[in-house]
Amino acid sequence: MAILQSRQLTKRFGGLVAVNRVSLAVEEGSIFGLVGPNGAGKSVFLNCVAGAQRPDDGRVIFRDQDTTGSPAERLCHLGLSRTFQIPQPFPRMTAIDTVLVAAHFGSPTDGVPPLEQARRSLRFVDFPHPEGTPVSGLNTVELKRLDLARALASRPKLLLLDELAAGLMTGQLGALEDILRKIRDSGVTIIMVEHVIRTILGLCDRLAVLRQGEKIADGPTREVAGDPAVIEAYLGQRR
Ligand SMILES: Nc1ncnc2c1ncn2[C@@H]1O[C@H](COP(=O)(O)OP(=O)(O)OP(=O)(O)O)[C@@H](O)[C@H]1O
Ligand SMILES: [Mg+2]
């Protein structure tokens, strides 16, 4: 069953069609990869699904409800959470407070108090510092971890990840991949935008490829990764 569908989703900025009639379906319990060259429309697509930007055309169906243009708060209550390509935390807050806000705010709780939920989320992502650490002292990689903990604390059914692996050293990728598998195995569906090919091939059940706003391929990961049109979109015309 699809937990999320986009139908002909379109977002324009003046004359630029950033997302052009993109339709896709994401199966519940899967990891779905959204890839494509810089400027392909991946982040704008996520923004439109997550309520950060309003699509100009097309529909978004999340958990059998038409959520097109719904604000992020409502989507969060329905079980949709996301991380940002560039995390923008409140620098004056501590790690635990950052996550606690989301724990208070998320989808209906199953009886776990927010503080416990927040602590669990920090543990789940192996946050490497004490919970009272100020956010201002964290590096980019740690901020991304914290952003993931924040997204998890709202108890999502669907998690949208925008370039979580960017900036990681090769040696750090395995740990992140393990965390994402653990999230998937806990019943959370993941849509991930990623440039790190190894991570995409290792994790994603299916891939959709965007180029200049249009979907140019969609299918099982191995098939899509071998598609000549996809290879060309990444590497340019072969000489
Ligand atoms: N707020 C905006 N106003 C105008 N144009 C925008 C806006 N946001 C994105 N764009 C444009 O829309 C297109 C798609 O951008 P998007 O950020 O979705 O690309 P992307 O696939 O996420 O790329 P990257 O891999 O570099 O993150 C780009 O041409 C970008 O310049
Ligand atoms: Mg992007």
Side-chain angles (χ1 to χ4, degrees):
M1 203 188 81
I3 188 169
L4 181 97
Q5 287 176 60
S6 69
R7 298 185 187 151
Q8 303 282 310
L9 201 67
T10 299
K11 176 69 181 175
R12 302 183 193 94
F13 297 107
L16 174 80
V17 191
V19 175
N20 197 352
R21 290 177 291 158
V22 172
S23 299
L24 48 85
V26 177
E27 283 298 298
E28 189 156 15
S30 68
I31 300 183
F32 189 97
L34 189 58
V35 301
N38 295 118
K42 307 178 297 292
S43 292
V44 173
F45 179 87
L46 289 193
N47 285 341
C48 288
V49 168
Q53 285 174 328
R54 240 191 127 77
D56 295 301
D57 261 311
R59 317 291 329 156
V60 178
I61 314 290
F62 174 52
R63 301 181 79 190
D64 297 328
Q65 297 189 46
D66 188 331
T67 57
T68 316
S70 293
E73 308 87 79
R74 174 160 180 266
L75 290 161
C76 184
H77 281 283
L78 280 175
L80 188 151
S81 248
R82 55 93 55 95
T83 66
F84 293 86
Q85 186 165 354
I86 301 167
Q88 287 163 347
F90 300 110
R92 293 234 173 103
M93 285 174 93
T94 60
I96 188 70
D97 284 345
T98 303
V99 181
L100 192 54
V101 171
H104 271 295
F105 194 68
S107 64
T109 161
D110 45 8
V112 182
L115 183 58
E116 175 55 23
Q117 179 71 45
R119 288 187 168 137
R120 281 187 196 176
S121 301
L122 282 178
R123 279 199 300 273
F124 203 94
V125 304
D126 291 326
F127 186 68
H129 299 294
E131 64 177 41
T133 301
V135 167
S136 55
L138 302 178
N139 65 34
T140 311
V141 172
E142 293 163 344
L143 282 176
K144 289 203 169 202
R145 276 278 160 113
L146 184 66
D147 204 29
L148 180 58
R150 180 196 52 71
L152 282 177
S154 66
R155 297 171 294 278
K157 297 272 184 271
L158 175 65
L159 188 55
L160 311 181
L161 307 176
D162 200 350
E163 297 201 25
L164 205 58
L168 291 189
M169 317 281 258
T170 316
Q172 299 170 307
L173 286 173
L176 179 72
E177 289 164 12
D178 286 345
I179 292 170
L180 297 184
R181 275 192 205 96
K182 209 162 61 155
I183 294 171
R184 192 260 322 269
D185 293 346
S186 76
V188 178
T189 308
I190 295 174
I191 302 179
M192 59 190 298
V193 166
E194 198 52 74
H195 285 293
V196 181
I197 300 290
R198 185 195 115 172
T199 300
I200 293 163
L201 296 181
L203 282 181
C204 297
D205 303 295
R206 286 180 79 86
L207 285 185
V209 185
L210 298 185
R211 185 181 58 186
Q212 294 175 3
E214 291 184 26
K215 188 176 88 171
I216 59 165
D218 183 355
T221 299
R222 292 281 157 195
E223 269 171 41
V224 171
D227 181 335
V230 172
I231 294 167
E232 193 198 310
Y234 267 95
L235 303 180
Q237 199 100 39
R238 264 181 285 182
R239 286 160 211 224

